[in-house]
Amino acid sequence: MNVDIIVIGGGHAGCEAAYAASRFKKKVLLVTHDISAIGQMSCNPAIGGLGKSHLVREIDAMGGLMGICADRAGIHFKVLNASKGPAVRATRSQSDRELYSNSVKSIINSKRLLTSISEEVVDIEIQNGKATGVKLKSGEIISAKKIILTAGTFLNGKLFTGEDEVEGGRKKSKSSKVLANCLRSLDLGDARLKTGTPPRILTSSIDFSALEIQPGDSPRPCMSFIGSSDIHPKQMNCFITRTNTKTHDFIRSGLDRSPMFSGRIDGVGPRYCPSIEDKIHRFADKESHQIFIEPEGLTSDEVYPNGISTSMPKDIQKKMVNSILGFEKAKITQFGYAVEYDFFDPRNLSQTLETKSIENLYFAGQINGTTGYEEAAAQGLVAGINAALSLDGKEPWVESRANSYIGVLIDDLITLGTKEPYRMFTSRAEHRLLLREDNADQRMTPYAHSLGIIGNKRWGIFQKKMIKIDAETQALEKIKIDPSSFGGKNKTKQSVLSVLKRPEAKLEDIYKLVKRPLPEKGVLLDIETTKKYAGYIERQNKEIKKIKKYENAKIPKEIIFSDINGLSNEVKQKLEKVLPKTIAHAQRIPGITPAAISLLLVHIKKELSSLEKKIGS
C-alpha cells in the first residue's frame, strides 16, 4: 500500500492532522490501535477554558474539527472571566463523550481520501535520513511521503494506582512499547512526563442536594464560528463541592504507598493541574480544594470529579471520596490513576513540526511535551497542513506569536522546550489584546480560504460578518450622542465611537439610548473591543512592528555559533542546540542576553560583508 501521508494515532492531534491533510486532496491513512476509539476524550469531558478556547477558535477558523464537534456534543456551556476584559474571556463546553467521539468519526469517515485502520505501528522506515513509511505489527510495510506521529501518552505508557502498575496509554488501552524503543534509538532527546485522572463516580450514588449547582450560560455561547445553539444537545448542570481536612488526613495517611511520593514515577507532572495528593503536599496550609462535578454525558451513569486527580491506593481513594460533601455514599466506578509516558524534546523540531534530523517525519501532540486536547489538536493541524503543503512544493504555514496562540504554542515549544507538561495560558501571549477568541476568524480564515481548505459556506459566513461590522461601524460614526450620559463632562455631542472609548460606556446601552436594533453578538463585541481598546491595540501593533525588524533579520545557515568571539560557552551551546533562524527567535531562548544578541548581530554583519567582498572580487 502506498499513500501520501500516514498519521499514527487517533487522538485529537491525529484527527486534526489527518483531516487537515485530506482537505488538500491528499491520500491519508490514519493508523490507530482501535478505530472505534477515534476522537475519544481520554481525560476530562470538556473542550476549551482559559487560554485553550483561543486555540479551539483558531483551529475552527482554519476549518478544523474541534470547535464544531464541541458544539455538536456540548451539554453545558459557560464563558469564563465574563466580567473581565475580552482578551482573557474564554468559552468552555462540557461534552457528552460519546457524542463528541461520534461527531469526530462521522466527519473523518466522510472524507473520501482519508482511510482509518486498526493496527499497531512498531517502527518508522527511514532511508538516507528520510522517513519513507511505517512497519506494522503484522509485518506489513506501508510506504508514504510524509509521516505524522501523534502517539499521545502511549509511548512506553505505564498506569499507576497505588502499588499497582500496568503497561498502558490509558485505561483498557495498551501502550506502544516497541515503537517507543525504536524511536529512542533515533536520538531525538526522549524523557518522561506524567499526567493523571480522577476516579469516576456513580451518578445515582451522589447527594446532589448538598452540592452547589452551576448552570450553564443563557444565552449559550458556541465554540465554532459556524456553530449554533440549535445544534447543541440537551443541556445539563454541573456542580461544585470541596475537599476538607478529613479528606486531606486520609490522603496523608497513604502517601507512603503513593507512586508519586515513593519514587516509582520519574516523570514530571503538570504544574497547573496537579494531583490532589500533590496539592495537599504543596499547599499544606489550605484546608480545602474545589471540585467541579462534570457530567460524562446524557446517557452516562458516571460523573467526572475535576480537581481530585489521583494515583493513591484504592482503599485511600474510597475513604477520600466518601469524606467529601455529597459523596458520603458515593460509589467509585473507575479508580483514578497516573500515566507516565515518553515524550521527545520539541526543540528538535522545525516550525512546521517536522523533525530536524529526519526529513518527512512530523511530531504533534503530547509526544512534544504538551498537555490538553486543545494543545494537541492545534499541533495536529499545523503538522497536517505543513505536510500537505510540502508535498505540493508550497511555502510552509508558519504562524507568528503576534498573530495567533498557535504561533505562541509552536514557538514556545521549539524554542524553549519543556521540562513539564506544557499548558496554554493567555499570559503566554505578549499581544493577547490582539489575539482574542472572538477575532480568530479575522486573523486566520482568509488564509485558510487562500489555501482552499474551507468551503464556500464558511467563507460566505465570514464575509457576511465582516460586511456587517463595516456597515455598523460606519453607521455608528455618523450617530451623535451626549457624552454626559456616560460620565463625560462636556455635553457637546460626539460620535458613538468616540463616546465608546470612555470606561463607563457600553455599546449595548448606547444602542438602547439611540433606539437602534442590536446587531448579532459577534459584530457588537468586535466593534466595542476595537474602539474601546484602540489605544492599547495601537501600542501593541507598534511593538509588533519593532519585533518584526528583528524577525526580518535572518540568521544565515552558514553561521557557526562557536566561532563568535565574546559569547560564553553556555550561550554558544544553546544557539547550536536550537539553531534559531532569526534574531527574534534567538532572543526568546532562555539565557540569551541582549549583549549576546548584539554580538550575534555584529558577527552576522561581518560575515555578510566578507561574503559580499568575495563575490565582488
Side-chain angles (χ1 to χ4, degrees):
M1 184 190 296
N2 292 308
V3 296
D4 293 319
I5 298 171
I6 293 174
V7 178
I8 304 168
H12 302 281
C15 291
E16 292 289 356
Y19 182 56
S22 69
R23 284 181 280 144
F24 283 90
K25 306 296 187 292
K26 303 304 175 192
K27 189 176 181 182
V28 182
L29 178 66
L30 176 62
V31 187
T32 185
H33 283 170
D34 180 7
I35 59 172
S36 69
I38 284 175
Q40 183 173 323
M41 305 178 99
S42 301
C43 197
N44 62 313
I47 297 293
L50 301 178
K52 293 171 175 283
S53 66
H54 295 69
L55 290 172
V56 178
R57 287 295 185 92
E58 290 176 0
I59 293 166
D60 183 69
M62 292 295 292
L65 291 165
M66 185 165 272
I68 196 64
C69 290
D71 278 334
R72 292 179 181 178
I75 55 177
H76 181 279
F77 291 83
K78 204 165 191 67
V79 176
L80 309 180
N81 282 344
S83 62
K84 296 184 179 180
V88 295
R89 291 175 198 156
T91 306
R92 191 171 192 267
S93 66
Q94 296 296 140
S95 295
D96 180 303
R97 289 184 186 275
E98 190 174 345
L99 288 178
Y100 187 87
S101 178
N102 287 342
S103 179
V104 173
K105 283 184 282 193
S106 69
I107 295 175
I108 283 180
N109 292 337
S110 70
K111 300 301 290 183
R112 186 176 59 83
L113 293 173
L114 174 51
T115 304
S116 306
I117 62 170
S118 295
E119 262 287 5
E120 181 181 352
V121 173
V122 296
D123 201 3
I124 308 292
E125 295 290 303
I126 298 172
Q127 296 179 11
N128 300 319
K130 297 181 180 181
T132 59
V134 301
K135 183 179 180 180
L136 304 181
K137 189 176 181 180
S138 63
E140 181 184 0
I141 294 175
I142 302 177
S143 299
K145 298 168 187 173
K146 302 284 181 181
I147 297 167
I148 303 173
L149 182 54
T150 67
T153 60
F154 285 76
L155 295 176
N156 267 327
K158 289 184 180 181
L159 311 182
F160 297 84
T161 302
E163 295 161 311
D164 297 334
E165 178 183 329
V166 295
E167 292 181 356
R170 62 179 171 230
K171 206 74 173 179
K172 300 177 182 178
S173 298
K174 60 183 180 179
S175 67
S176 296
K177 194 170 183 180
V178 179
L179 177 59
N181 292 333
C182 291
L183 290 170
R184 282 181 173 182
S185 68
L186 299 177
D187 193 27
L188 295 171
D190 63 281
R192 300 283 278 175
L193 288 178
K194 163 204 164 290
T195 188
T197 191
R200 305 303 195 270
I201 311 297
L202 184 67
T203 306
S204 60
S205 68
I206 298 172
D207 179 9
F208 286 99
S209 66
L211 306 182
E212 177 188 339
I213 191 169
Q214 190 183 44
D217 285 353
S218 181
R220 290 195 300 274
C222 291
M223 294 301 297
S224 171
F225 285 105
I226 60 171
S228 163
S229 59
D230 295 338
I231 67 172
H232 294 166
K234 179 183 175 183
Q235 298 298 289
M236 298 182 72
N237 289 322
C238 291
F239 296 85
I240 297 175
T241 187
R242 302 187 72 91
T243 62
N244 51 60
T245 55
K246 192 175 180 181
T247 311
H248 298 184
D249 287 341
F250 281 131
I251 294 170
R252 290 189 186 98
S253 72
L255 287 180
D256 59 322
R257 293 187 289 146
S258 162
M260 273 187 58
F261 289 88
S262 64
R264 289 171 48 232
I265 293 180
D266 296 323
V268 180
R271 178 194 303 253
Y272 303 103
C273 188
S275 65
I276 187 62
E277 54 264 39
D278 197 19
K279 283 181 187 177
I280 68 163
H281 177 72
R282 285 164 53 184
F283 310 109
D285 58 321
K286 293 197 70 172
E287 293 185 351
S288 70
H289 294 280
Q290 194 165 247
I291 305 169
F292 290 92
I293 313 303
E294 303 172 350
E296 295 264 341
L298 295 171
T299 59
S300 174
D301 59 357
E302 294 178 330
V303 298
Y304 183 98
N306 194 340
I308 54 170
S309 174
T310 185
S311 58
M312 295 295 288
K314 293 179 181 178
D315 61 308
I316 299 296
Q317 290 194 39
K318 287 180 181 178
K319 293 176 182 177
M320 172 185 81
V321 167
N322 292 143
S323 70
I324 296 168
L325 181 66
F327 285 4
E328 291 86 353
K329 296 181 181 180
K331 294 181 180 178
I332 296 176
T333 55
Q334 176 185 295
F335 287 96
Y337 59 90
V339 188
E340 188 182 40
Y341 56 95
D342 287 355
F343 86 103
F344 291 84
D345 191 341
R347 290 174 295 182
N348 291 320
L349 303 174
S350 70
Q351 290 172 299
T352 64
L353 296 185
E354 184 178 22
T355 57
K356 291 177 181 177
S357 57
I358 302 171
E359 196 175 331
N360 302 330
L361 177 62
Y362 298 73
F363 283 3
Q366 284 178 283
I367 190 173
N368 292 335
T370 59
T371 182
Y373 306 146
E374 301 82 3
E375 291 87 346
Q379 293 171 74
L381 179 78
V382 171
I385 289 177
N386 279 307
L389 287 173
S390 179
L391 287 178
D392 290 337
K394 294 182 178 178
E395 287 294 309
W397 176 41
V398 176
E399 277 291 315
S400 73
R401 299 179 69 91
N403 193 59
S404 70
Y405 274 82
I406 290 178
V408 173
L409 170 68
I410 302 301
D411 187 63
D412 278 353
L413 289 174
I414 68 169
T415 305
L416 308 178
T418 187
K419 292 183 179 179
E420 61 187 39
Y422 177 102
R423 177 180 175 177
M424 180 53 70
F425 290 102
T426 53
S427 59
R428 295 189 188 274
E430 302 92 327
H431 311 294
R432 53 185 171 274
L433 196 54
L434 299 173
L435 309 183
R436 308 183 308 274
E437 66 169 26
D438 66 275
N439 70 357
D441 55 344
Q442 296 180 48
R443 291 182 278 113
M444 304 180 79
T445 295
Y447 182 67
H449 180 253
S450 72
L451 292 177
I453 57 172
I454 59 170
N456 291 332
K457 180 182 177 182
R458 176 181 279 273
W459 181 239
I461 291 172
F462 172 73
Q463 286 184 307
K464 286 179 182 177
K465 174 184 172 181
M466 296 311 299
I467 290 171
K468 288 178 182 177
I469 289 173
D470 290 341
E472 202 65 23
T473 301
Q474 290 178 27
L476 293 176
E477 186 64 57
K478 296 174 183 177
I479 299 174
K480 308 289 184 180
I481 61 173
D482 182 352
S484 63
S485 302
F486 301 97
K489 294 181 180 179
N490 188 343
K491 291 190 176 183
T492 303
K493 288 190 174 183
Q494 299 175 8
S495 76
V496 166
L497 298 183
S498 295
V499 174
L500 190 57
K501 293 178 182 180
R502 302 194 61 80
E504 302 90 343
K506 290 185 179 179
L507 189 54
E508 193 168 337
D509 293 338
I510 293 175
Y511 268 90
K512 291 176 183 177
L513 179 69
V514 300
K515 297 180 181 180
R516 184 175 177 82
L518 277 173
E520 59 190 71
K521 191 173 181 180
V523 172
L524 189 79
L525 180 60
D526 184 273
I527 294 172
E528 182 164 36
T529 304
T530 301
K531 296 304 174 184
K532 191 172 284 293
Y533 297 95
Y536 297 104
I537 291 172
E538 183 181 358
R539 190 186 307 164
Q540 288 200 350
N541 279 323
K542 286 180 179 179
E543 289 174 1
I544 290 168
K545 286 180 181 178
K546 287 181 182 178
I547 291 171
K548 279 187 176 180
K549 289 181 180 179
Y550 288 116
E551 285 180 343
N552 292 332
K554 294 184 179 180
I555 299 174
K557 293 180 180 179
E558 298 78 17
I559 291 292
I560 301 173
F561 297 111
S562 58
D563 290 346
I564 302 177
N565 294 325
L567 291 182
S568 68
N569 288 330
E570 181 186 358
V571 168
K572 290 177 181 178
Q573 288 170 5
K574 287 182 176 180
L575 290 169
E576 288 170 351
K577 175 72 174 177
V578 176
L579 294 178
K581 294 182 179 180
T582 65
I583 293 297
H585 192 178
Q587 281 180 311
R588 289 191 290 272
I589 301 172
I592 304 298
T593 63
I597 293 296
S598 296
L599 288 169
L600 178 57
L601 282 168
V602 170
H603 185 80
I604 290 172
K605 289 176 182 177
K606 284 182 179 178
E607 289 293 309
L608 291 176
S609 177
S610 176
L611 182 62
E612 287 173 0
K613 288 179 180 178
K614 287 179 181 178
I615 294 172
S617 61

